[in-house]
Amino acid sequence: MFQLSLSRKIINKDKVGMIDKAFPSLGIESFADLGGVWRVEGAYTFHALDKHGVKNAALVDLHLTPTVVDRAKSHPQLRLINGNFGSQAIADEVGEVDAVFLFDVLLHQVGPDWGTILKMYAKNVRHLLIYNQQWTGSDKTVRLLDLGEKEYFRNVPHSRRVEEYKNLFEKLDQKHPEFDGPWRDFPGIWQWGITDADLESKVAELGFKLVSKKECGKTGMLPNFRDRAFIFSRQ
Ligand SMILES: C[S@@+](CC[C@H](N)C(=O)[O-])C[C@H]1O[C@@H](n2cnc3c(N)ncnc32)[C@H](O)[C@@H]1O
């Protein structure tokens, strides 16, 4: 994975490349960037707004930062939506757009799960731009917590010392202090190992065909994940 570091931001060239390929070739004029804030401050949203003729955009995240709020002021066609994009109310607020970006977010979604989220948004969009850490450790998609503590920490890029992951297995059934649910469903931790076959068949079931797929390299040092970029369009 080729990454460019701009001050504190990590901008991924494959995600930018996917936007620059999809917007002109598929005629995308409106989009929603679901979970576009952490560490990148909405960089993919602002890239799309600055480089492509966009009429309507939404950036949704559980945490909007002052930098994002400030930068959004110069983009009147951008709506900032603070909340869980897995809630139907937020999906309704996003409404119909040409495309959604799901960059590094699908593997975190449990309640509702990643497949249900795809279904919720698929009916309102024509294109899905997905960049995800894909599971290569087995033929079947796995819920990472089900691997047990030792295997879980062998397969995620965070140590037990990181705040969210401290004593994780002891607090799985406790209510998360901010999220409306238990720690085991919290989207701030790694949740799923999704296989290509399961992602592609879920999206096909929703009426989309694969337009392009790019192998983007290893996910850090993880033995069982590969970064991949997918563009799907409604049939
Ligand atoms: C791993 S970061 C990815 C950031 C960016 N999309 C990128 O590609 O670098 C995940 C982001 O999605 C947000 N997020 C994850 N699940 C969410 C949900 N269900 N609703 C709203 N935001 C969510 C997190 O707050 C965080 O900003």
Side-chain angles (χ1 to χ4, degrees):
M1 184 170 67
F2 192 135
Q3 289 185 329
L4 180 65
S5 183
L6 291 177
S7 61
R8 280 173 50 248
K9 293 188 229 163
I10 308 285
I11 310 301
N12 178 300
K13 287 188 70 167
D14 288 313
K15 295 173 190 168
V16 171
M18 200 174 358
I19 292 168
D20 290 345
K21 174 178 172 170
F23 273 62
S25 64
L26 301 173
I28 295 170
E29 294 183 337
S30 58
F31 72 90
D33 183 1
L34 304 183
V37 173
W38 187 69
R39 288 180 81 188
V40 295
E41 304 281 3
Y44 305 108
T45 285
F46 293 115
H47 174 82
L49 289 168
D50 291 340
K51 293 277 171 348
H52 302 283
V54 175
K55 293 182 177 153
N56 167 27
L59 170 57
V60 188
D61 208 291
L62 290 167
H63 303 288
L64 296 174
T65 61
T67 306
V68 167
V69 172
D70 196 47
R71 201 167 168 194
K73 288 177 187 153
S74 46
H75 296 280
Q77 75 278 53
L78 175 63
R79 294 172 287 142
L80 292 182
I81 302 178
N82 193 187
N84 183 347
F85 60 71
S87 90
Q88 191 57 52
I90 298 280
D92 291 344
E93 194 176 339
V94 168
E96 284 191 18
V97 282
D98 290 337
V100 282
F101 305 169
L102 291 150
F103 293 168
D104 297 1
V105 292
L106 275 188
L107 71 87
H108 294 284
Q109 309 307 318
V110 175
D113 69 17
W114 59 273
T116 307
I117 286 187
L118 285 171
K119 188 172 177 191
M120 284 166 68
Y121 286 88
K123 51 182 186 291
N124 285 342
V125 307
R126 294 190 291 120
H127 310 288
L128 300 165
L129 274 55
I130 296 175
Y131 187 102
N132 198 54
Q133 292 67 40
Q134 293 292 108
W135 178 251
T136 55
S138 58
D139 291 345
K140 295 256 175 279
T141 290
V142 293
R143 181 81 190 268
L144 296 169
L145 293 167
D146 293 344
L147 297 174
E149 186 168 359
K150 189 168 166 224
E151 277 301 293
Y152 179 83
F153 281 105
R154 199 172 78 82
N155 281 292
V156 302
H158 301 288
S159 85
R160 293 170 173 83
R161 289 189 298 278
V162 173
E163 195 51 38
E164 286 84 354
Y165 292 85
K166 260 183 212 160
N167 305 319
L168 179 62
F169 278 73
E170 285 146 46
K171 60 189 183 190
L172 285 178
D173 294 317
Q174 294 170 19
K175 160 94 177 61
H176 187 278
E178 290 161 23
F179 168 70
D180 183 23
W183 275 90
R184 71 166 65 252
D185 294 346
F186 176 49
I189 62 168
W190 277 49
Q191 294 281 5
W192 291 102
I194 305 170
T195 63
D196 282 11
D198 283 343
L199 175 63
E200 289 168 25
S201 72
K202 168 52 75 181
V203 168
E205 194 184 294
L206 297 171
F208 286 71
K209 68 175 184 333
L210 182 64
V211 172
S212 77
K213 174 172 170 178
K214 183 172 180 195
E215 174 67 54
C216 305
K218 291 176 68 172
T219 305
M221 302 293 283
L222 297 180
N224 293 315
F225 281 96
R226 306 283 301 184
D227 281 24
R228 291 187 182 136
F230 304 83
I231 300 174
F232 297 98
S233 294
R234 202 200 292 265
Q235 307 250 31

